[in-house]
Amino acid sequence: MEEPDIKEIKETKSRSLNKSFQVVIRLCPQEQKSPLPEDMRSCIKVKEPNQIIADSGRGHQPHMLEFDAVWDESASQKDVYESTAKPLVDFVLQGYNGCVITYGSAGSGKTYTLQGGSLTGKQRGIITRVAEDVFRSPETSNCKIRASFIHISNEKIYDLLVSCFCVHAVPV
């Protein structure tokens, strides 16, 4: 399978910016501490900048799935931010609302993508990069900024920005 070059990936990913809702997949790299045995392999492969092939290897046909963008295990925090949240920041600075939602199983990289490995340097996550871009912008000198940071788990909502431990039940 031929690997797409980074320019092609960025062009494909930028085509979907005119949508009001995007679905972007970021594959989580295997932890260096516990490498996979040789007989195990990843069941998800990036085929194109916006396609993955899911193959369970259990006698089922592989499935091709398309998304607005797909980032493989080697994607940098900067690549992910610039193709997903950065365009959203530009719209927010024009007065629109914006939202980034991460979804996945425990350990799949949601927190790393949002918060990063540090508050400075290349490992900064989406939250730090958004804050940098918003507060460096001249458009924010006289405006009200409101942000939410919530966690939803088992039909309960946790507000991660309040100082008390508050849980709100979500009606089903």
Side-chain angles (χ1 to χ4, degrees):
M1 176 181 6
E2 185 179 318
E3 295 290 323
D5 67 3
I6 195 72
K7 182 179 177 191
E8 178 186 350
I9 291 171
K10 288 184 177 183
E11 287 173 359
T12 301
K13 289 174 173 97
S14 68
R15 279 186 230 132
S16 62
L17 297 180
N18 295 330
K19 294 179 164 183
S20 60
F21 189 88
Q22 291 185 56
V23 178
V24 178
I25 302 296
R26 181 182 195 183
L27 300 181
C28 181
Q30 291 295 321
E31 290 184 341
Q32 298 299 321
K33 297 175 188 173
S34 56
L36 288 173
E38 285 186 30
D39 61 339
M40 293 183 74
R41 61 181 176 78
S42 176
C43 65
I44 299 176
K45 302 279 187 217
V46 177
K47 180 175 181 190
E48 299 287 334
N50 66 333
Q51 293 177 346
I52 61 171
I53 301 291
D55 182 3
S56 68
R58 297 184 179 146
H60 301 286
Q61 289 293 324
H63 296 285
M64 186 195 66
L65 304 164
E66 280 194 25
F67 301 94
D68 292 301
V70 175
W71 288 104
D72 68 11
E73 296 91 339
S74 65
S76 72
Q77 293 282 72
K78 181 180 179 182
D79 290 338
V80 174
Y81 172 71
E82 288 184 354
S83 71
T84 57
K86 174 80 170 132
L88 187 62
V89 168
D90 296 337
F91 287 117
V92 166
L93 293 174
Q94 294 173 27
Y96 297 98
N97 292 324
C99 179
V100 174
I101 299 172
T102 59
Y103 177 82
S105 60
S108 63
K110 302 175 300 294
T111 301
Y112 177 75
T113 298
L114 287 176
Q115 296 179 346
S118 69
L119 293 177
T120 60
K122 293 180 179 180
Q123 299 305 314
R124 296 183 326 276
I126 287 175
I127 294 170
T128 304
R129 292 172 190 271
V130 164
E132 289 170 355
D133 284 351
V134 166
F135 291 112
R136 285 183 182 152
S137 171
E139 288 93 349
T140 59
S141 60
N142 286 322
C143 69
K144 180 180 179 179
I145 297 172
R146 188 173 56 190
S148 301
F149 191 27
I150 62 171
H151 174 81
I152 302 172
S153 178
N154 295 324
E155 300 178 5
K156 293 183 179 159
I157 299 174
Y158 302 87
D159 187 339
L160 301 177
L161 296 179
V162 296
S163 57
C164 70
F165 180 72
C166 301
V167 178
H168 306 283
V170 177
V172 199

